[in-house]
């Protein structure tokens, strides 16, 4: 067993889970910071080398003493999509700064921070500015440090599977930009290795280099589909960035800004490592496509979900509401019925062995009556007297997928509740579901 104690922040996120597994495998005494330890698996809570501390990294008062007795810190704290009213500045910069201040106070010897490859070139966008501001603070702290700058994660490359109804992949320019994406498990090995090494910055990516066109072709190959790639001029990308800034909420725009930025740059990190291969990763996604939603929920272990619905139960929903459900939502219902993360949920069917209820029917009917909700929508989530998350449906043609909207609930001058005109949140249920999964990654 190692003698140095490690503090890992961001342990329940995508990368953090892999890093924690390596730390425990390498027998490092490890302390992790989580918002709610009841969401961890019992096996982790009872692990002899693991100490779990409940704290909010965005609230410095809760971090007092978290670095006591710690030799080195690894932080993967950061957000992909902004939620809970938090900004990149509050999380990617300030939360990490809170950890750094506590590390300095307790005499920690080294701080390892996972940033982003070519971060210096992304100071003009919100996420890049926040991350690089913390990098500046860490470098100026006087503490021994290592900045790990990974290229694009494999999880980002799944966006090549986000094809529209015509099964097409859109690229900008000529699809000529190159990158060497890296799997989280391979990156975790690099992060833990830096506990015993002395590099100040590590620019790291996967062992394979692809152009964007090559990745798109690989996706079609794995899907056994003919290639259908559309090349858009770069002014379209720039226009999307410009217009989105004014018309989209900041919580959505930040992710789009980051994605469209990395889509217009080369991202080949010089350190090329890892056992994972992109084709095998694509194949793993394809092989589990029939149970995609259930598998993704099980991967985290932090979501609750129901038993899946059968065809008769799905038909009952459609008949009660007088609509046809889009295909992807039918798949969601058939796999997991409904799901939730704490008090945030995706509405559907709640089904146990001996009972079944239809909250999607009950809530949609109630709000049709109480708030005059249009019959073009079903209610995926309702924050009582605050806002609705709505899913577009049809009563004539079964859609493959549809947009997800949000609508504010407010009290009018007569004391009655009404809803504003729904505004688009996501282009599809699949995008909405991916955003829902990020709740666990940001815990």
């Amino acid at each position: 067993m190692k003698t140095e104690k490690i503090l890992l922040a961001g342990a329940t996120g995508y990368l953090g889970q892999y890093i924690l597994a390596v730390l425990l495998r390498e027998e490092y005494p490890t302390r992790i910071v989580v918002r709610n330890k009841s969401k961890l698996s019992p096996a982790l809570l009872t692990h002899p080398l693991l100490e779990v501390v409940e704290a909010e990294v965005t609230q410095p008062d809760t971090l007092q003493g978290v670095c006591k007795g710690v030799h080195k810190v690894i932080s993967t704290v950061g957000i992909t999509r902004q939620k809970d009213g938090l900004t990149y500045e509050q999380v990617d910069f300030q939360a990490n700064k809170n950890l750094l201040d506590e590390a300095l106070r307790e005499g920690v010897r080294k701080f390892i921070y996972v940033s982003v490859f070519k971060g210096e070139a992304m100071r003009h966008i919100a996420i890049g500015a926040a991350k690089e501001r913390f990098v500046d603070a860490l470098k100026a702290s006087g503490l021994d440090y290592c900045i790990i700058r990974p290229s694009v994660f494999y999880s980002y490359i799944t966006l090549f599977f986000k094809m529209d109804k015509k099964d097409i992949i859109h690229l900008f320019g000529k699809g000529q930009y190159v990158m060497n994406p890296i799997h989280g498990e391979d990156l975790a090995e690099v992060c833990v290795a830096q506990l015993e090494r002395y590099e100040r910055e590590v620019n790291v990516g996967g062992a394979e280099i692809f152009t964007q066109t090559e990745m798109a072709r690989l996706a079609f190959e794995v899907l056994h589909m003919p290639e259908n790639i559309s090349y858009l001029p770069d002014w379209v990308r720039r226009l999307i960035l410009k217009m989105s800034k004014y018309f989209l909420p900041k919580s959505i725009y930040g992710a789009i800004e980051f994605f469209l930025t990395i889509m217009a740059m080369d991202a080949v990190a010089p350190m090329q490592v890892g056992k994972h291969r992109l084709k095998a990763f694509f194949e793993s996604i394809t092989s589990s496509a029939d149970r995609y939603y259930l598998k993704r929920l099980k991967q985290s272990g932090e979501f609750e979900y129901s038993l899946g619905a059968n065809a008769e139960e799905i038909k009952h929903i459609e008949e009660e509401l007088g609509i046809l459900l889009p295909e992807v939502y039918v798949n969601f219902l058939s796999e997991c019925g409904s799901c939730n993360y704490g008090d945030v949920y995706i509405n559907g069917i709640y089904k146990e062995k001996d009972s079944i209820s239809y909250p999607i029917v009950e809530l949609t009917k109630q709000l049709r009556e109480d708030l005059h909700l249009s019959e073009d929508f079903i209610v995926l989530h309702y924050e009582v007297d605050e806002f609705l998350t709505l899913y577009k449906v049809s009563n004539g043609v079964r859609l493959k997928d549809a947009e997800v909207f949000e609508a504010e609930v407010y009290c009018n001058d007569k004391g009655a509740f009404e809803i504003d005109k729904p505004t688009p949140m996501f282009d599809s249920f699949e995008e909405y579901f991916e955003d829902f999964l990020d709740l666990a990654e940001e815990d």
Side-chain angles (χ1 to χ4, degrees):
M1 186 178 76
K2 303 288 196 304
T3 57
E4 292 182 322
K5 174 166 278 192
I6 310 303
L7 175 71
L8 173 61
T12 57
Y14 167 74
L15 175 60
Q17 293 182 71
Y18 287 117
I19 293 177
L20 179 58
V22 177
L23 287 170
L24 297 179
R25 186 194 71 204
E26 298 295 321
E27 298 188 326
Y28 279 99
T30 303
R31 179 181 296 160
I32 62 174
V33 182
V34 299
R35 283 191 291 184
N36 186 351
K37 65 181 180 182
S38 67
K39 296 185 180 297
L40 296 175
S41 69
L44 278 179
L45 289 173
T46 58
H47 196 287
L49 292 176
L50 185 63
E51 178 187 356
V52 182
V53 174
E54 288 184 322
E56 289 272 6
V57 288
T58 55
Q59 299 176 17
D61 290 347
T62 70
L63 292 174
Q64 291 182 8
V66 74
C67 289
K68 190 174 184 63
V70 168
H71 297 84
K72 297 175 183 178
V73 173
I74 301 176
S75 176
T76 68
V77 170
I79 53 177
T80 304
R81 296 183 177 95
Q82 296 158 280
K83 296 187 182 71
D84 302 329
L86 295 172
T87 65
Y88 294 118
E89 183 72 8
Q90 290 171 313
V91 179
D92 290 74
F93 169 69
Q94 191 59 57
N96 282 297
K97 182 63 164 54
N98 294 340
L99 285 167
L100 176 59
D101 291 342
E102 195 63 29
L104 290 167
R105 188 176 296 114
E106 296 292 346
V108 168
R109 297 207 302 265
K110 185 173 186 178
F111 197 112
I112 298 173
Y113 172 59
V114 181
S115 183
V116 62
F117 184 54
K118 289 192 172 180
E120 283 284 351
M122 287 190 273
R123 285 182 181 266
H124 63 289
I125 67 174
I127 189 171
K131 286 183 178 296
E132 290 308 300
R133 188 180 173 199
F134 177 70
V135 167
D136 294 341
L138 181 54
K139 289 180 177 180
S141 69
L143 193 64
D144 186 18
Y145 68 86
C146 179
I147 312 298
I148 296 179
R149 297 185 178 277
S151 63
V152 181
F153 285 156
Y154 271 22
S155 55
Y156 279 113
I157 306 304
T158 58
L159 291 171
F160 280 104
F161 279 87
K162 303 295 183 184
M163 304 174 196
D164 67 12
K165 297 171 186 178
K166 296 180 181 179
D167 297 322
I168 185 171
I169 291 177
H170 297 285
L171 299 175
F172 297 100
K174 298 179 180 179
Q176 76 275 23
Y177 295 107
V178 291
M179 58 184 67
N180 57 334
I182 188 168
H183 193 283
E185 188 174 19
D186 293 329
L187 180 56
E189 298 280 355
V190 175
C191 294
V192 174
Q194 289 306 312
L195 292 170
E196 308 296 335
R197 295 179 183 175
Y198 303 99
E199 292 94 341
R200 288 298 181 91
E201 294 208 16
V202 176
N203 295 285
V204 59
E208 300 173 301
I209 299 174
F210 300 93
T211 65
Q212 292 175 7
T213 293
E214 288 170 340
M215 286 189 291
R217 287 173 175 167
L218 184 61
F220 283 118
E221 177 188 337
V222 170
L223 290 167
H224 303 292
M225 295 171 58
E227 291 179 14
N228 192 3
I229 304 172
S230 170
Y231 296 99
L232 303 175
D234 193 63
W235 66 261
V236 174
R237 181 189 66 86
R238 297 195 302 270
L239 180 62
I240 293 171
L241 276 171
K242 184 176 181 179
M243 300 300 291
S244 299
K245 186 174 184 178
Y246 294 103
F247 293 106
L248 290 179
K250 288 184 178 180
S251 58
I252 298 176
Y253 175 72
I256 292 175
E257 182 183 45
F258 176 63
F259 177 70
L260 290 180
T261 298
I262 62 174
M263 285 292 288
M265 60 190 296
D266 291 330
V268 179
M271 182 179 179
Q272 297 165 19
V273 301
K275 62 184 180 181
H276 289 273
R277 297 296 179 265
L278 189 59
K279 183 177 182 180
F281 178 72
F282 280 170
E283 288 172 341
S284 71
I285 296 172
T286 306
S287 65
S288 61
D290 292 340
R291 307 296 292 175
Y292 169 76
Y293 298 103
L294 187 58
K295 180 176 180 179
R296 293 301 304 276
L297 292 171
K298 286 181 175 180
Q299 279 177 339
S300 171
E302 300 186 11
F303 296 96
E304 297 178 2
Y305 45 87
S306 171
L307 295 175
N310 59 36
E312 182 180 345
E313 291 156 353
I314 291 170
K315 183 179 179 181
H316 173 77
I317 294 175
E318 295 181 330
E319 290 177 345
E320 286 291 311
L321 296 178
I323 49 92
L324 292 174
L325 299 171
E327 290 178 17
V328 296
Y329 185 66
V330 169
N331 292 339
F332 168 79
L333 291 175
S334 66
E335 292 177 30
C336 43
S338 60
C339 62
N340 69 282
Y341 182 84
D343 57 357
V344 182
Y345 58 86
I346 299 179
N347 214 349
I349 292 176
Y350 185 76
K351 184 178 179 183
E352 295 180 318
K353 290 183 178 180
D354 301 319
S355 66
I356 182 172
S357 60
Y358 295 87
I360 190 68
V361 173
E362 296 159 5
L363 188 54
T364 300
K365 278 187 171 181
Q366 177 191 335
L367 296 183
R368 282 180 179 178
E369 180 177 349
D370 295 348
L371 300 178
H372 307 292
L373 177 68
S374 167
E375 294 188 0
D376 292 332
F377 298 105
I378 56 174
V379 182
L380 294 178
H381 182 74
Y382 180 28
E383 191 74 22
V384 178
D385 299 342
E386 292 188 20
F387 68 88
L388 297 169
T389 303
L390 305 171
Y391 189 34
K392 185 82 170 177
V393 294
S394 169
N395 62 1
V397 177
R398 187 180 302 280
L399 305 172
K400 180 178 180 180
D401 202 347
E403 289 182 294
V404 176
F405 292 73
E406 64 179 350
E408 183 179 352
V409 180
Y410 66 95
C411 188
N412 63 23
D413 295 338
K414 298 180 181 180
F417 286 102
E418 296 184 9
I419 58 174
D420 277 334
K421 181 180 178 180
T423 58
M425 288 178 68
F426 300 98
D427 290 336
S428 65
F429 179 82
E430 291 183 345
E431 288 186 13
Y432 170 66
F433 182 77
E434 289 294 327
D435 185 78
F436 176 78
L437 292 176
D438 285 344
L439 290 171
E441 293 187 6
E442 295 168 14
D443 201 343

